Amino acid sequence: MFVLEVKNVNKHLGKREIIKDLSFSVKKGEIFGFLGPNGAGKTTTIRMLVGLIAPNSGSICIMGHNIKTERELALSKVGAVVENPELYTYLSGKENLMQVARIRKISKEKVDEVIELVQLTDRINDKVKKYSLGMKQRLGLALSLLSEPALLILDEPTNGLDPSGILDFREIVQKAAKETGTAVFVSSHILSEVQQLCDTVAFINKGVIQSVESIKNNNEVKSASVTLITREIEETMELLKTLSVVEDFSSKDNIFSLKIKEKSVSELIFELAKNHIHIEEIFKNHKELEERYMQLVEGGIR
């Protein structure tokens, strides 16, 4: 059984169609990206998923419960962080969590467990008004995880966060999905975030899903694109010619563009270090999602 199953959902406002025959599913422990430009229908979809508006036709089921006919049961399995989380800024982070815990009869042990998961242990007793935006996002995430939701919905979760905050938030979400089996639905227009965070992505434009594709463990991908920056230009060039993991490479000054066998980055780094090549930077290039987005959403690669 899927945690979230959306079948043939349509939504219109007056004569204008906003969502057209939307269908997708999300399974336990999966991080599902909903990727599209502003105005594509992402926010309308989320409002339907959390029961704020109803579809004109089609069905939305959460843990087998239809949101239209079993609204309370379906939504009891959902946690959400939509835009900026609503927090009592004059209370501490812990007091915010305890307010919800008392209402929902959640144990103090569970509260402490969630605080540790979102990495707020050191600051949980500070007033929320002293929190950075990233800390507020983490506290909002903690609030949504308190009731152990089967489905976690995140709407543009990294908006306004600095690079460090984005990395922290991504790590927490991935950990929650892996350790608790929570299914995560992430709406975003940021390609790099979806690439780094998600297992599966649905490309949506003008209310229509163009494609649903796996972006993790893609068995069709046999090679990886890597950029290497080093001072030892001649030595690096000679070494790369001898390595079996390197399929092709080119260089411009001290920047090398490599095509290597998939999952061979660690082996490449080992060989460079073994041969005393100083690495200034090395990173994988994530072009695949960008190119696919341009094909499906923008009508072609620029």
Side-chain angles (χ1 to χ4, degrees), residues 247-262:
E247 297 176 350
D248 194 15
F249 74 90
S250 61
S251 64
K252 184 177 180 181
D253 298 326
N254 66 330
I255 301 173
F256 289 79
S257 298
L258 291 78
K259 184 180 178 183
I260 68 171
K261 291 178 181 177
E262 184 67 7

Side-chain angles (χ1 to χ4, degrees), residues 42 94 127 129 132 138 150 156 158-159 170-171 184 192 194 198 210 221 238 241 283 292:
K42 301 190 302 295
K94 182 73 170 283
K127 294 281 192 290
K129 63 185 176 184
S132 66
R138 281 188 270 160
E156 304 286 359
T158 58
N159 267 4
R170 183 194 306 154
E171 181 185 332
V184 184
S192 60
V194 172
C198 300
Q210 308 294 326
V221 177
E238 291 305 312
K241 291 176 183 177
F283 54 87
R292 197 72 180 119

Side-chain angles (χ1 to χ4, degrees), residues 162-184:
D162 60 23
S164 177
I166 291 172
L167 288 170
D168 288 344
F169 198 86
R170 183 194 306 154
E171 181 185 332
I172 291 163
V173 171
Q174 289 173 328
K175 188 176 180 183
K178 183 178 179 181
E179 293 187 1
T180 67
T182 304
V184 184

